[in-house]
Amino acid sequence: MAADTPLETPLPPTDAIEVPSSEASLRYRDVFNAAFSFMAVLHRDGWVLSVNDIALRFADVAREDVIGRPIWETPWFAYDETVQERLRAAVERAARGEFVRYDECLAGANSAQADVDLSIKSSSAPGHPSSLLVLEARDTTQMKLVQTALRDSEERFRTSFDEAPIGKALLDVDGSFIRVNHALCDILGYGEVDLEHTNWATLTHPDDIDADMGLITDTLAGQRPGYRIFKRCFHQSGRVVHVQLDVALVRDQEGEPLYFIAQVQDISKRKKYEDWLFEANEMAHITLAAIGDGVIRTDARGTITYVNDAACWHLARSEKSLIGQRFSDCVPLFNPGRDVPLPDPVDALLRVGATVEHEPFPRLRNGDGDLNAIAYTLTPMYARDGEVLGCVFVFQDISDAKRVAEGWAFQASHDPMTGLLNRRAFESALTELCARVGDTRRDMPVQHTLIYFDLDHFKVVNDTCGHQAGDKLLIEMGRLLRTRLRSGDRLARIGGDEFAVLLPECGLDDAQRIAQSLLEAAAEYSFVADGRRFRVTLSLGVAPVTGSATETLARADTACYVAKRAGRNRVHTFSVTDADVSRARQELDWAQQLQAALDSDHFELHQQPIVQLDTGQVVGHEILLRFRGEDGRVVAPGAFMPAAQRLGLMRLIDLRVVRDVVAAMQAGATGEGFVSVNLSAQSVGDPIFTRECLAVLDAAAIPADRIQFEVNDGEIALSSEATPLIDGLRQRGHAIWLDNFGTGFNSFDSLSRLKPDGIKISRATVHRLEDDIAYRHLVEAACRVMEDMGGMVIAEGLEDVEMQRTVAAHGIAWGQGFHLGAVSEVAAKAA
C-alpha cells in the first residue's frame, strides 16, 4: 500500500465498546491484564475495543490513546506500512471466521522491538449479534535466541566433527558407521558414502580384531567407559595403516547404549619412527658392544650405569663388578709424565654441569697394573629442562699410537733427507724466540741471532753429477756444520740448498764468529762425486732476532743476498744503515711486486720490429716484457729481472709471456711475420716449464714458423747441451736463436753446442765494431759460421743510419733498434 494512502476503516459502533459493569467483568479484566502475552479485543473491522496492561507498558501508551483506533494504526504496528497492510489483511481474514497466525515484530517505546507469534481469531460477544476478534501476540524473542544458539551449537559441532584434523566417526553398537568426517576418509582412502555403508570390523587387520572386540564387549557391559587401542586398518588401496583408536560409548537416560564416538589418528609415521628408534637403539647397543673404544655411562651421582665390552677388557673387570660403582673407584687416571693420580673428571663435570678442561693424554692403570696412555672424551647428558642426567666417558688406549705419533712428529718437524729441522719447525722455533725478545738476565737484555745461508754454485753439482750427488752433498754438509754449533743451536734446512741457524742467547759478535767458523768448515771440505772434486763455499747472512719472525727472516735473507752479490764465500751482517742491504732489499721488494703482478696480471707485452736492412721490410718482431708498477709507470726488465731470477720466478713469468703471445697472435695483435720470444736459462732447464710451454703451443695450433725462441748466450753455457725443451721446440718446427751473442765467455762454444737457427749480435758488440778490431773479427767470424749453418744474423741496438751501414758492411743482413722501429705495446695494436 502506498505510503501516502491512509488505511480507510469505518468507525466502530459505540455500543461495541465493552464497559465492564459486573463482578464477572471485573474478574475478566483482571485475568486479561495479568496475562503475559500481548492481548487485545478488536471489533471485526479492526477497531481496538480493549487491550491489556503488558501491551500498554511495552509501547508506553495510555489505554485511551489506542481504544477506538484501528489496530494497525496503533504504535505497535504503525512503524511500517508493510506490517500495517499485513495486519489489516489478517483482521479481514479473521472476521470471516479464519484462524490467522504468523510471526511478526512489535515496536515498543525507546526503539524496543519484540518478535512475537501473532494470532487472531473471532469470538461472539455475549449479548451482541456481531463477533469480536481476539488478538494475541506471544513474545518469541527468547525462544528465537535459544533456537539460534541451538543452531549455532549444532553448526559448531558439525564443523568440529567434519573439519577436525583427526578422524572422527559415530558408530552403531554393531560397529557400522553412522557418520564419518573428512579426515577419517583421508586416513582410510574411502568416500563418506562408502564408509557409512561399511562395518569397522571389515577394515580391521585380522590379527587385531580379537583385541578390539574384547574391548568393545567390556565397554558395552559397563566394565569401562571407553578404551584406547593401537591397531592396523586397511586402506582402500590395500596398504596397512597404523592408527590410534580412542572410543567412548554414549548411553541414554536409562543407561542403554546408543552409539560409539570414535577418534582415529594415523600414526603410521610415528610407528615408523618408533621402529627406526628401536633399530637405532639396537644398533647403538650392538655398536657400543663391538667397538674397540671403551664406553662408560654414569648417572648424575657419578655411578656407573653402563659399560661396554671394550671398557671391561681395558679395566680387566666384569660388567657386573662395574655397574653400580663410583666412576672414580673404577677408573683411576694418572698424570702423563708422573705417577701422580689426577682428579676425577666425571665428578668435576657433574659439579660444574659442563665439560671441563682436563690433562691431555692421561694414563689409565689397566688390570695388569701398567699405566697406558689414553685419549678420552667426556660428554654430559642433559634432560629437556637442562638438568644434567649424567655423562658418557669414551676412552681409547693410544700407547702404540702415541709412539707412532712421536715418530710422525719427528718426521713432520725434520727434513727427511738431512735429518735437520724443516722449514715449518724452524719458523715455529723462530716465532718462539721472537716472543722472548726483551727478556733480561742479571738486568741485561738477552740477545738472539739468526744465520741464513746457502751453498754457492750448488746447481753446478746437480747439473754435472745429478740430483743424487746434490742430495749427498746436502747431507754431508748438514753433518759437517752441526759440529761447529753449540748444543742449544738449531740448524734447519729451509729448502733446496738454503739453511738457517737459530742462535739463542747469542749476541752479534759471537754469531759472527760462529758464522765465520761455518764458512771455514765449508772451505776445508771438498765434495767428491763421479770422480770429480768440488770446492764448496757458503754465502751467510747474520741478523739479530727481532720481535717479528717475518722481519727477522727477511733481514737475514737480505744479508745473505748481499754476501752473494759481493762475490760469495763470505759473511755479511745486517744493518739498517748498510747501503748494500738497502739495495738488496729494494731488489727483494721487486720480487714481492712481481709475485703480485703475476697474480693480478700487471705484465704487458711490447714488441720491436726486426727489419731486413737492404729492403727495409719488417720480417718479424721481438716480444719485450714490461711491468706496470703500482704508480702506473711502465718499468723495463732491467729493473725487475734480477729479482725474478734470484727468487726463481722466471718460469712463471716466461710461461705467462708464452700464453699472452699466443693469445695476442690469435687476436691478430702482433702483425705480419714471426715473433721472437725470450726464454731464461731457468725456464729452459725446468721440466715443469717444458711440459706446460709445449702444451700451450700444441693447443694454440699456430704455425711453428711464426713463433721462434731466443736463449741468452751468457746463460746457456750453464745448461745442458740439448734440453728437452729445445728438442721439443725443434721437433715442432720452432726456430731457436742465440741472443746477446758475444757476451758469453765462449760464444762460439755455444754456437757449436746449440747450433741455433740464428744469432743476435749484442748491442754492446755492435757499438764497438768501428773501434775494436777484436769485435770486428768476432762478428765477421760469426757471420761466416751462420752462413755455413744456413742461419740468420741480426744486429741489435741500431740507433742511426751510420750504425746500419756499418753492420751491413760486415755482412749482417737484418737489424733491430730504435732507428728501424720503436717499441710499441702489443695490446695497443690489438685495440
Side-chain angles (χ1 to χ4, degrees), residues 158-318:
R158 185 194 66 77
T159 302
S160 65
F161 184 89
D162 292 340
E163 305 301 330
I166 61 175
K168 288 191 175 185
L170 302 181
L171 298 101
D172 203 342
V173 291
D174 64 356
S176 59
F177 288 101
I178 300 172
R179 184 175 179 181
V180 296
N181 71 345
H182 304 315
L184 183 59
C185 294
D186 292 339
I187 291 172
L188 298 176
Y190 289 90
E192 292 184 25
V193 176
D194 295 333
L195 275 182
E196 290 172 359
H197 290 81
T198 307
N199 189 286
W200 184 249
T202 63
L203 301 176
T204 302
H205 194 282
D207 294 342
D208 297 336
I209 288 179
D210 290 343
D212 198 5
M213 293 304 297
L215 292 171
I216 291 175
T217 301
D218 292 345
T219 303
L220 290 172
Q223 297 178 8
R224 59 173 67 235
Y227 65 90
R228 169 178 290 180
I229 186 174
F230 298 95
K231 57 185 288 187
R232 290 162 292 177
C233 296
F234 289 112
H235 191 270
Q236 186 186 32
S237 64
R239 64 180 174 86
V240 173
V241 180
H242 292 268
V243 300
Q244 174 185 313
L245 175 64
D246 293 278
V247 178
L249 178 62
V250 178
R251 299 177 183 271
D252 62 15
Q253 293 181 348
E254 285 73 32
E256 293 299 318
L258 291 177
Y259 55 86
F260 290 106
I261 299 177
Q263 285 193 165
V264 183
Q265 298 182 61
D266 186 349
I267 61 168
S268 299
K269 288 185 178 180
R270 188 175 80 188
K271 187 71 171 56
K272 185 181 295 184
Y273 294 149
E274 289 173 351
D275 292 342
W276 287 348
L277 181 61
F278 174 80
E279 293 175 3
N281 288 335
E282 185 70 9
M283 290 174 63
H285 181 78
I286 294 174
T287 302
L288 290 175
I291 63 175
D293 292 352
V295 180
I296 303 175
R297 186 179 66 223
T298 76
D299 61 16
R301 296 183 298 275
T303 302
I304 296 175
T305 59
Y306 170 83
V307 291
N308 71 341
D309 294 343
C312 295
W313 183 84
H314 284 298
L315 297 172
R317 296 183 59 172
S318 66

Side-chain angles (χ1 to χ4, degrees), residues 345-356:
V346 170
D347 179 66
L349 180 144
L350 295 176
R351 282 188 286 104
V352 175
T355 303
V356 295

Side-chain angles (χ1 to χ4, degrees), residues 601 605 623 655-671 675 677 696-697 699-702 706-707 826-827 830:
D601 197 18
L605 295 184
I623 297 298
L655 186 61
R656 170 65 61 84
V657 171
V658 172
R659 286 174 173 160
D660 290 350
V661 166
V662 166
M665 294 185 73
Q666 291 173 333
T670 58
V675 296
V677 179
V696 171
L697 294 173
I702 296 174
R706 291 208 60 207
I707 305 178
V826 172

Side-chain angles (χ1 to χ4, degrees), residues 674-742:
F674 61 81
V675 296
S676 182
V677 179
N678 289 277
L679 295 178
S680 67
Q682 289 180 9
S683 298
V684 170
D686 190 312
I688 297 177
F689 177 83
T690 297
R691 183 175 63 252
E692 294 179 345
C693 176
L694 295 178
V696 171
L697 294 173
D698 291 341
I702 296 174
D705 60 357
R706 291 208 60 207
I707 305 178
Q708 60 188 31
F709 294 90
E710 300 180 17
V711 293
N712 196 299
D713 179 24
E715 298 176 353
I716 197 64
L718 298 177
S719 300
S720 300
E721 285 191 278
T723 66
L725 175 62
I726 292 176
D727 290 344
L729 292 174
R730 280 184 165 152
Q731 289 170 5
R732 287 163 174 78
H734 298 282
I736 306 297
W737 284 18
L738 187 63
D739 190 21
N740 287 326
F741 182 82

Side-chain angles (χ1 to χ4, degrees), residues 59 166 216 264 280 332 379 386 436 551 607 630 640 683 695 733 816 819 831:
I166 61 175
I216 291 175
V264 183
T379 307
R436 291 164 50 189
E551 178 64 22
Q607 63 182 4
E630 296 178 354
F640 61 81
S683 298
Q816 178 182 345
H819 168 64

